[in-house]
Amino acid sequence: MPRIVLTVSYDGSAYVGWQCQPNGISVQQRIEEAVERLSGSFLRLHSSGRTDAGVHARGMVCHFDTDAGLPLTAWRDGLNRYLPDDIAVQDARIAAPDFHARFSSTGKLYRYQILSAAVRSPLERGQAWHVKKALDLDMMRTAAEFFVGEHDYASFRTTGCAAKTTVRTVFGVDIRVLGQVVQIDVHGSGFLKNMVRMMVGTLVEVGLGKRSAEDVATLLSRPGSVRPALTAPAHGLCLIKVFY
């Protein structure tokens, strides 16, 4: 039975997150409904991970097994006919039988966007966190270096995180400016619940002079010894790519 792999983009503003939940509509639910309409049978999707309510994606990966016999163009174009405007299948391919969207992954790249401006932008309101005061980007870059490497991220997860271990490896944290938008790219082996948003929240506090860059090192080495990390709003976060 062929294993179909989809690469999906979506605006997460209207959803409770990727994963099916009883308290609202999820991205997974909408895609599974489209798959059922196209194939005539319900097929469970297995994803590379979960995004929280309000978080976006350019490259979420998921897979399912099917004997429907449809061509790959049907899995892309056909599903897009049934999907709402805020979700789109970008690519469909056949994978090896042992491929798994989650367990075969070697890393993920997330991007967080901050609108650093005195006045809010209606056009950026759903894609970037508006921070009115100027940010010290040099101090933020200094703080970001402490994240790189293998560390215990117990201070950078929220209640309800079910991960068995809080040790993760961050390959890089890059901060760049495009006009008034500050983009923070975080590339890592995997992430805890709200980990990237808490990393960004901490970096913003450093940039505003509310904490020192060295606080990041303390949060990683001695959880609970300093004030917990701030969680940045969900709407500024986007899953850019999953690596295999």
Side-chain angles (χ1 to χ4, degrees), residues 6-9 31 75-76 79-80 83 87-92:
L6 305 178
T7 301
V8 183
S9 62
I31 299 176
W75 289 118
R76 186 192 66 186
L79 287 177
N80 284 335
L83 287 169
I87 304 174
V89 175
Q90 300 296 326
D91 179 67

Side-chain angles (χ1 to χ4, degrees), residues 78-175:
L79 287 177
N80 284 335
R81 284 198 297 271
Y82 294 122
L83 287 169
D85 290 342
D86 52 6
I87 304 174
V89 175
Q90 300 296 326
D91 179 67
R93 62 184 177 88
I94 296 176
D98 61 348
F99 172 87
H100 194 284
R102 177 184 175 189
F103 300 118
S104 299
S105 170
T106 59
K108 296 184 177 71
L109 174 64
Y110 279 93
R111 175 170 297 156
Y112 197 97
Q113 296 199 132
I114 299 165
L115 176 66
S116 181
V119 179
R120 60 185 171 84
S121 168
L123 298 179
E124 304 286 351
R125 71 188 185 279
Q127 303 292 327
W129 176 19
H130 180 210
V131 177
K132 294 182 180 180
K133 295 182 178 180
L135 295 168
D136 187 332
L137 296 178
D138 288 336
M139 288 302 299
M140 290 173 66
R141 291 187 177 105
T142 297
E145 287 300 314
F146 289 110
F147 285 121
V148 179
E150 183 180 87
H151 302 289
D152 185 347
Y153 280 87
S155 295
F156 294 88
R157 67 169 177 171
T158 51
T159 303
C161 177
K164 295 180 180 179
T165 175
T166 53
V167 175
R168 294 291 186 274
T169 299
V170 171
F171 303 128
V173 181
D174 297 317
I175 302 174

Side-chain angles (χ1 to χ4, degrees), residues 184-215:
I184 303 177
D185 283 1
V186 183
H187 179 201
S189 61
F191 298 94
L192 304 169
K193 182 177 176 61
N194 285 348
M195 177 175 153
V196 176
R197 290 168 57 192
M198 296 179 79
M199 291 170 66
V200 170
T202 302
L203 292 176
V204 167
E205 287 193 317
V206 171
L208 293 173
K210 294 183 177 181
R211 65 165 74 217
S212 69
E214 288 70 25
D215 271 0

Side-chain angles (χ1 to χ4, degrees), residues 2-39:
R3 178 155 293 185
I4 306 297
V5 179
L6 305 178
T7 301
V8 183
S9 62
Y10 52 86
D11 180 331
S13 302
Y15 301 101
V16 295
W18 165 267
Q19 187 180 31
C20 291
Q21 299 176 47
N23 60 319
I25 302 299
S26 69
V27 178
Q28 179 184 3
Q29 178 181 335
R30 284 290 181 247
I31 299 176
E32 288 180 345
E33 290 171 349
V35 169
E36 185 169 10
R37 291 181 68 182
L38 183 65
S39 68

